[in-house]
Amino acid sequence: MMRFLALLFLVAILEVVVFVQVQSVIGLGWALLIIVATTFIGAFLVKRTGLSVLRRARQKLDNGQMPGRELSDGAAVVVAGLLLIPPGFITDIAGFLLLLPPVRELVYRAISKRVTGKVTVIRSSVRTIRRDAIEGEIIDVEAIEDGSGTN
């Protein structure tokens, strides 16, 4: 916890230093305009990227596949959104980078190397039970056995 707080303090100090440097080169008005613009652009991109990741995850689930990569991408998009909330150039750059698929790929690889062998995935042998409505009637569809003797 202390490391996290120290990191937050360090980032805050660096953000102030960078902001002062940028505003001394381009002016206070332009620096503030960039900060405000990146907030709105970032919010738009986070929403668009997040919805795209959600669609891909839903497609994987509908096809009976585990959406591991999509979950990682979704977490990266959430972190990107959190980085784009506070005003500052460093956090904005980090947030925008996390919205890029090649950067998310690097993050996915790094995380999967650390997690591999530490997580157990249990898959159910039962296929999805669906309820289909036809002209107001509800038809129950029974679970189909997959040959393993379990429903």
Side-chain angles (χ1 to χ4, degrees), residues 16-77:
V16 170
V17 169
V18 170
F19 183 82
V20 168
Q21 292 295 317
V22 170
Q23 72 87 27
S24 71
V25 173
I26 66 172
L28 180 61
W30 285 109
L32 290 173
L33 181 64
I34 290 171
I35 294 292
V36 171
T38 58
T39 299
F40 289 107
I41 294 168
F44 170 76
L45 291 174
V46 165
K47 179 180 177 183
R48 193 179 92 189
T49 306
L51 290 173
S52 171
V53 168
L54 185 61
R55 260 191 307 276
R56 288 194 336 256
R58 179 167 250 157
Q59 286 174 344
K60 283 258 180 134
L61 287 171
D62 288 346
N63 292 330
Q65 299 171 328
M66 184 68 166
R69 173 59 194 267
E70 289 73 18
L71 292 176
S72 172
D73 281 355
V77 169

Side-chain angles (χ1 to χ4, degrees), residues 1 8 13 19 23 34-35 54 60-61 66 76 85-86 88 94 106 109 111 113 122 125 140 151:
M1 184 65 172
L8 282 178
I13 296 294
F19 183 82
Q23 72 87 27
I34 290 171
I35 294 292
L54 185 61
K60 283 258 180 134
L61 287 171
M66 184 68 166
I85 290 172
L106 292 174
R109 287 183 184 180
I111 290 172
K113 281 183 183 178
I122 301 172
S125 62
D140 287 335
N151 286 353

Side-chain angles (χ1 to χ4, degrees), residues 4 8 42-43 46 74-87 91-92 94-96 98-99:
F4 180 72
L8 282 178
V46 165
V77 169
V78 168
V79 171
L82 292 173
L83 288 170
L84 289 164
I85 290 172
T91 54
D92 285 351
F96 283 121
L98 279 175
L99 294 176

